[in-house]
Amino acid sequence: MIFRTPQIQQSELDVIARIDEIRSSVGYALQMPKQWTGLLRRNLVARAIQGSNSIEGYNATFDEAVAVVEGE
């Protein structure tokens, strides 16, 4: 073995415990990213449509591209 695993100090265990406390207190926000990721996905697809169309010579606004993604 080239390196030995160092022993965990009490101060490090305290930090890990604090991180676990914070994680449990904000867990509700971390477990529900569906709306945010859905919005992010919609905007990324709209930007891709907008860029693809501009290459072909059709200039669409971002709002028009979002409407296409949303099926309007």
Side-chain angles (χ1 to χ4, degrees), residues 9 28-29 39-40 46 51 59 62 64:
Q9 303 296 320
Y28 69 92
L39 181 62
L40 178 64
N59 293 323
F62 178 71
E64 292 170 337

Side-chain angles (χ1 to χ4, degrees), residues 1 4-5 8 11 14 18 20 22 27-28 31 35-37 41-44 50 52-53 55-56 58-59 63 69 71:
M1 180 180 338
R4 293 186 64 195
T5 305
I8 298 177
S11 61
D14 293 340
R18 180 68 181 130
D20 287 339
I22 292 170
Y28 69 92
Q31 294 173 358
Q35 181 180 6
W36 185 83
T37 56
R41 179 182 176 278
R42 183 196 74 182
N43 288 347
L44 288 175
Q50 189 180 23
S52 176
N53 285 347
I55 290 172
E56 296 173 9
Y58 300 104
N59 293 323
D63 293 333
V69 172

